[in-house]
Every structure is written in structure tokens, then in C-alpha cells.
Amino acid sequence: MKTEVRFLLAIVLMIVILVGTNLLFPPIPPDPAEPGEDAAVEEVEPTPDAARSERTEGADPGAAVPDAPTLEDVEAPATAQEETITVEGPLYRYVFSNIGARLVSVELLEHESFTREGPVQLIPEPGESVLTHRLLVGQDTVDFSDLPFEVDDPGTLRVDSDTGPQRLGFTWRDPAGELSLQVTYVFDPDSYLVEMVGRVGGVNRGLLFTRLGSGLASNEADPDEDARSMAYVANHRQEGVVSQNLGDFTGTAVVDGPFYWVAFKSKYFLLAMLAGETNGGAGYLGGLIAREVEPEHQVAVDVTQSLGTDGGFAYHLFAGPQDRALLSDVGYNLTEVNPIGWRFFRPIIRPFVAATIWVLVFLHENLNLGYGFVLIVFGILMRVLLFPLNHKAMKAQLRNMAVQPLLKDIQTRYKDQPERLQKELMKLYKEHGFNPLAGCWPMLLPWPVLISLFFVFQNTIELRGVPFLWLPDLASQDPLYILPLLLGVSMFFLQWVSFRTMQEVNPQMKMMMWLMPIFMVFIFFRLPSGLNLYYVTANIATLPQTWWIAQERVKQQAKGPLVPATDDDEGAGSAKGGGAEDANAGSRGERRGAARAEKKGGAASGAGGGRKGRKRGGR
């Protein structure tokens, strides 16, 4: 079961219990909820539609495709000696080869890899062709990926605050003609964004293909989870962001542009090619060609780009973490490379996610606390802030309990008179402030925060690899399963405290009191340990308030519920108007009281009945 489906199932079950408890105890037993209904909702990111994409199983990569042909390999020149050039800055370490001017390694120095020694590595294999180029002019194809380039500054290029931005240039010239290719990279010591400008000499038109690679290397402790996040993503100029999971890709796909950017993503990291400005160029990328390759979860992607009037082209390269602040600064809506939440839920959940991340980072930086303690403080803080709303919900529950007998009496009396039933219910709502949902909605407010935290832990780079006590990583599951078990125990105790003070408990709800914690342990044991830590803290912080509410419920039950009027008293109780009517009603009440007293043999009872009758008549 996918993590998103597992979490959605947990939310559905908890809301069923929360709302069901308030509706059943009291005031109105709801229709039985279908367990698991809507629990298997899974978002599937859109793949390019038929108008923009063609995919064929086992398609020949060398076959021509109209308007966006795949390129044929040309005969490689005599083998040249390979040299590597290293560019190292505070944030990154790039390694280029002079053969094809290809990028062979990208290391992110501020982030540790959990699959190999040292920092995160983005390039899957050392021999991978990344940022190599091919040129199509008419029917002629030139493959630059195996050609030896001259390098401006061979060796190691260091980039720091003292040197400022640094350039690295590659040049290839055809010994037998005028064709040439120049590629220059500009590195900023304080940014993951690399500027690239190039020029093809000897031609004034053509279509350039840039190989983005075939995916990203896995750097996470759970490679399977990371593999499920691997995808290529593109931001289309008109149609927005489209994404294709690499594990689900087969055959060949041709996707027409234009695009603002095309990227490979993993759970936490990103390799993106963004449009750049050229002299006479389009200012955006063309289409892309994706082709299934070995091994699994690898898809070769080429991005097309028209040359400018002078043969120039340009783009930017972003190789770094999925830090939402950094991606937002880059622009072009790059934050949507890994969108938050299910598509139908994004407009609602995004503000909560942004606010949650801000609060966590603020507490971490200003209180100088580790993120584990930050989550504990955050869980307690949420319960303190929501205390007034929960108090209001508690009062509504107690009021509903008192009105329950009146509600049942109305439903019984007027079950065959729908219009009268509706009228009497509205009267009951108005006179006693009865609302069956008044005790529910304040308790639902913590759910957006819980859901937000789920997505925060899905791909927030700040929480990656953060240890706490026995937990090696707050963004991964608890290896000892202690927190899921504590979550189940805390949920059981919360329900037990509530149910033990109820006079009548539905047998189904009693059974759910035992089963619900077991379900939650099963569902949450694979979810991030940080999410479980927050939820356990919130439950423990809720216990005092739950106990207090239970004691108030006992006091309310001691007072007894409101007693509905009898059939005999209805006429007297509903009498309204002038003094004569009131007097008559009072007399009828006295006579009824006297009659009851004679039946029971007690004069005091009759007098009491008369007094009740006079009160009703007076009203």
C-alpha cells in the first residue's frame, strides 16, 4: 500500500470516529459509515495527452518522428585521451569530461548521501551522458557527445566568495570545415543555479538536442521509497506542469513544447534545465524525447532547442535540493516540480503547509532546538491554541446530551408528519441552541495541520536525515516501531476516558474503541517518525482536557436530561395568548393534577400537578 493511500485511509477512519462519536453520543445516531470509503484515493500525475504525446512499445529510437526526430549516431572519431575538470564551490562539486563536454559528476556538499560515503551524488553512473549535444540541420545529424573538446582551464576551478563567479569553457572545431561548438558555464559560489551559453558556428539554423540524462542516483536510506519518487517533470508554457514516474514509463514518448523547464527529480533532489535568453532565440525550450533504457527506473531524456539567428543557445542548470525557498527564487514555477498534496486538495492544503514549515523553521532557529523537540513543542502549542475551541465543542456536546430526550420525543411524535417534524426540530434548535455538528467542527481543525505535516515530511529537505533520540531520521519510519505503538496506546486511552463516562455506549462504538488503535498502529507504522512524534505529543497533551470534559459530562448526567411534555400536557404547554386562555389552561392543569393525585391517593401530588398546570398556562 502506497504511503499516501495509507495516510488517507488513516484520516478517513479518524474522522469517521470523531464525527460518529459526536453524532451518536448524542444526539442523532448516524447511518453506519462504510469503512474505508474514499480511502484508496491516489493521485496520478497527468502524462502528456494524445494531442501532444505519442508512445509506442518497443519503438526504434533511430526512427524519424515528425517535427521532433530522434537523432542517429554518427561515426565516432579516433579515440582521444580523456581529461576531467573539477569545479568546486561551497555548495557543490562538478566534474566535467573533455569528451563531449559532458557532465560526469554532481556532488552536493551540504547534504550527506545515505547510500554511499560522502555527499549526495546526482549522476547515476560515471559514464552517463549528461549535458551532451546533438545537432540536426535538415537531414544531417552531428553528434558531439564523443568528440574531444578543448578546455579553457583544465584541472580544478575553485569558486568562492573571494573569486566570485567563475567561467568554464569548452570548444570543438571541425578540422575539415567551419562547423564548431562552444559551450561556456558560469558558476556562482552562492547559488545552485548555473548559467550556460553556447554557440554553433558554421550554421545559421538548426535544432539542438541536449541530453539531460536518464534519471538521478538514489541517496536515501530507503531506495524503494526514493525510486517511487523518481520522475521527469516539465512545465509546459500553456498546459502547465506534467509529470511522468520513471518506474511506470515504457517505450518512447515525444512531447511537444514549448517548456519553461524540464527536470529529473527524486524525493529530495533535482536536476533541472531551464530556458535561457538568446539573441533571436525563443526564450524557452522546445519539446522533449523520452526513451526507456536499462536499468530499471531509468529514462533517457533529450530536450530540443532552436538556435538563434547567430547560432546561439542558452539555458540554466539547477542541480540541488528541493528547498522551496530556493526554487521559489529561481522562478518559472519551479516549486511545482514536486507539488504538495493531492491535486484536488492542493488549494486548501498549501497555505497550511507553508505556515507549518515556517513555524517549524522559526522554532528551530529562534529557540535553538533540534527538530525533534520542535515537533514536541509544536504539538503542545497546537493543543493550547485550540483549547478555547475544544471547550466550546465540549459545551455543545453537553447541551446536546440534555436535549436528546426532547429530540427523540419529537421524532417519535411526528414521524408521520414530515412538515410538522421539521417545524418542531427548528423550534428545538432555536430554543435550546441544539446543533448536532456543533461538537464536531472545532475538533476537525487540527486535521489540516496533521495532513500538512504529512506532506512536510514527504519531501522537506530541512528534515532529511535529522536524528532524534533513538530515531535515525525524522523523515523515515521508526525502526523500532515505538512511536506507532505509543500512538495506538494514546488513542485507546483517549477513547476510554471519553466512553467510560457515557451512560449508554453503542456496541459498535465499543468495538471501534478497541479496533481503531490497532488500525492506526498498522497504518502509521510505515509513516515518517516525525509525524508520529507530533501525533503522540498532541494526544498526550489532549488527555487533561479529555479528562476534564469527561468529568463535566458526569455532572451533566447527574442533573438529568430535559423531560419532554406528555400528551396530556401538550395542550396546556402550547397555550399562548390572553388571560382567559391562560386561566383555562391553568384550570385544566389543576384538574389533571387533582385527577392524578386521586389515582395515586396523594393530595400533595395533585397540588403539585395543579401548580405545574398554572405555570404552563401562564406561559
Side-chain angles (χ1 to χ4, degrees):
M1 184 185 294
K2 289 188 176 181
T3 304
E4 290 83 358
V5 178
R6 184 187 295 271
F7 181 70
L8 184 59
L9 177 60
I11 294 299
V12 170
L13 288 174
M14 287 187 287
I15 290 179
V16 165
I17 294 300
L18 177 63
V19 176
T21 300
N22 283 274
L23 293 179
L24 284 170
F25 310 111
I28 307 173
D31 295 328
E34 292 292 336
E37 183 179 1
D38 295 333
V41 178
E42 175 184 358
E43 179 190 14
V44 179
E45 292 290 350
T47 56
D49 55 39
R52 301 187 299 106
S53 173
E54 297 176 16
R55 177 170 299 169
T56 55
E57 298 290 339
D60 181 6
V65 181
D67 298 330
T70 50
L71 301 174
E72 301 176 358
D73 293 329
V74 296
E75 184 179 353
T79 304
Q81 184 176 359
E82 183 175 16
E83 299 177 0
T84 59
I85 304 92
T86 301
V87 180
E88 185 168 349
L91 304 175
Y92 49 74
R93 184 187 297 120
Y94 290 91
V95 179
F96 291 85
S97 169
N98 67 317
I99 303 300
R102 66 163 51 92
L103 179 62
V104 297
S105 174
V106 179
E107 292 179 302
L108 306 181
L109 304 182
E110 293 192 334
H111 301 279
E112 179 187 359
S113 174
F114 301 140
T115 58
R116 58 174 63 82
E117 292 293 332
V120 163
Q121 171 64 257
L122 296 187
I123 308 301
E125 299 293 339
E128 177 74 15
S129 293
V130 180
L131 301 187
T132 57
H133 302 89
R134 296 180 180 184
L135 178 66
L136 177 68
V137 181
Q139 298 299 316
D140 297 326
T141 299
V142 180
D143 187 353
F144 297 99
S145 61
D146 294 324
L147 301 179
F149 282 69
E150 297 177 2
V151 185
D152 294 347
D153 297 304
T156 300
L157 180 64
R158 299 198 178 277
V159 185
D160 55 38
S161 57
D162 294 333
T163 63
Q166 295 289 302
R167 292 175 176 267
L168 176 63
F170 296 88
T171 304
W172 176 85
R173 292 181 178 87
D174 184 5
E178 298 181 356
L179 185 64
S180 65
L181 174 62
Q182 294 179 328
V183 177
T184 302
Y185 296 94
V186 182
F187 301 91
D188 188 329
D190 301 320
S191 174
Y192 289 100
L193 195 65
V194 178
E195 181 184 359
M196 185 276 175
V197 292
R199 183 179 181 275
V200 179
V203 298
N204 56 10
R205 62 185 177 84
L207 188 66
L208 188 72
F209 288 72
T210 302
R211 172 64 58 84
L212 186 59
S214 57
L216 300 182
S218 177
N219 292 276
E220 306 311 317
D222 187 349
D224 294 335
E225 182 183 9
D226 200 31
R228 288 192 292 269
S229 302
M230 296 286 186
Y232 73 75
V233 192
N235 185 9
H236 195 274
R237 187 181 181 188
Q238 284 87 29
E239 300 181 28
V241 177
V242 293
S243 177
Q244 173 61 57
N245 187 277
L246 301 189
D248 298 333
F249 185 90
T250 56
T252 300
V254 179
V255 188
D256 294 335
F259 294 107
Y260 290 116
W261 48 260
V262 178
F264 280 116
K265 77 175 185 73
S266 62
K267 184 176 181 180
Y268 293 106
F269 301 101
L270 179 67
L271 179 65
M273 179 178 173
L274 301 96
E277 296 293 337
T278 60
N279 182 22
Y284 46 80
L285 305 175
L288 68 85
I289 299 172
R291 186 176 71 253
E292 180 185 13
V293 295
E294 295 294 336
E296 191 179 8
H297 300 297
Q298 298 285 299
V299 176
V301 172
D302 289 275
V303 181
T304 68
Q305 191 175 9
S306 299
L307 298 180
T309 55
D310 61 347
F313 62 95
Y315 55 81
H316 291 84
L317 178 71
F318 182 92
Q322 293 184 45
D323 185 310
R324 295 191 70 82
L326 295 178
L327 300 184
S328 179
D329 290 341
V330 171
Y332 287 115
N333 209 22
L334 191 57
T335 53
E336 290 304 295
V337 72
N338 208 349
I340 294 173
W342 305 287
R343 180 174 294 274
F344 70 94
F345 205 47
R346 285 174 194 163
I348 301 173
I349 202 65
R350 278 176 178 167
F352 286 96
V353 171
T356 300
I357 293 176
W358 183 87
V359 171
L360 294 180
V361 173
F362 177 85
L363 293 175
H364 171 69
E365 294 179 349
N366 290 272
L367 299 182
N368 197 26
L369 294 174
Y371 277 107
F373 290 106
V374 165
L375 289 169
I376 293 175
V377 171
F378 185 65
I380 297 173
L381 184 63
M382 283 300 302
R383 290 304 175 182
V384 171
L385 292 177
L386 292 174
F387 180 86
L389 291 175
N390 289 334
H391 181 68
K392 184 177 181 180
M394 179 270 295
K395 284 187 173 181
Q397 289 176 346
L398 297 179
R399 186 165 55 247
N400 291 349
M401 287 177 60
V403 177
Q404 177 73 2
L406 301 181
L407 177 68
K408 289 183 177 180
D409 180 65
I410 291 174
Q411 290 174 329
T412 303
R413 286 191 182 195
Y414 307 111
K415 61 182 179 180
D416 298 327
Q417 306 175 49
E419 292 184 1
R420 181 68 184 276
L421 174 63
Q422 186 66 22
K423 182 179 179 181
E424 293 296 328
L425 287 176
M426 293 302 296
K427 182 180 177 182
L428 180 68
Y429 296 165
K430 183 177 180 180
E431 291 182 353
H432 296 279
F434 169 74
N435 185 348
L437 296 178
C440 298
W441 70 265
M443 297 183 181
L444 293 176
L445 289 180
W447 297 116
V449 176
L450 181 63
I451 297 172
S452 299
L453 278 173
F454 171 76
F455 291 110
V456 165
F457 282 105
Q458 284 295 92
N459 51 27
T460 300
I461 193 69
E462 289 87 354
L463 299 173
R464 176 185 181 269
V466 175
F468 178 69
L469 299 179
W470 72 93
L471 304 170
D473 185 357
L474 287 173
S476 300
Q477 67 185 49
D478 184 346
L480 303 180
Y481 305 114
I482 295 175
L483 286 176
L485 292 175
L486 288 177
L487 177 62
V489 171
S490 64
M491 290 196 67
F492 173 81
F493 197 61
L494 283 172
Q495 295 182 78
W496 178 78
V497 169
S498 296
F499 289 165
R500 64 187 289 271
T501 58
M502 293 182 180
Q503 293 177 339
E504 296 182 4
V505 179
N506 187 296
Q508 287 80 8
M509 292 301 295
K510 257 188 181 178
M511 182 180 298
M512 191 58 69
M513 181 181 71
W514 292 94
L515 295 181
M516 183 65 178
I518 298 175
F519 289 153
M520 297 305 297
V521 171
F522 172 73
I523 291 171
F524 271 71
F525 83 101
R526 292 292 300 273
L527 296 183
S529 55
L531 182 67
N532 282 324
L533 177 62
Y534 163 80
Y535 200 9
V536 169
T537 302
N539 281 353
I540 294 175
T542 308
L543 278 173
Q545 187 179 39
T546 304
W547 185 273
W548 176 53
I549 291 174
Q551 299 309 308
E552 291 296 318
R553 184 183 292 116
V554 171
K555 294 178 183 178
Q556 178 66 40
Q557 290 170 351
K559 294 179 181 178
L562 298 176
V563 179
T566 63
D567 290 337
D568 292 336
D569 295 337
E570 182 182 2
S574 61
K576 296 177 183 179
E581 259 186 278
D582 295 343
N584 290 336
S587 299
R588 286 196 297 270
E590 287 181 318
R591 287 196 296 272
R592 291 190 189 100
R596 291 193 192 100
E598 289 175 1
K599 273 189 176 181
K600 295 180 180 179
S605 175
R611 284 194 298 273
K612 289 181 183 177
R614 283 193 296 272
K615 285 183 181 180
R616 293 192 183 96
R619 287 197 298 269

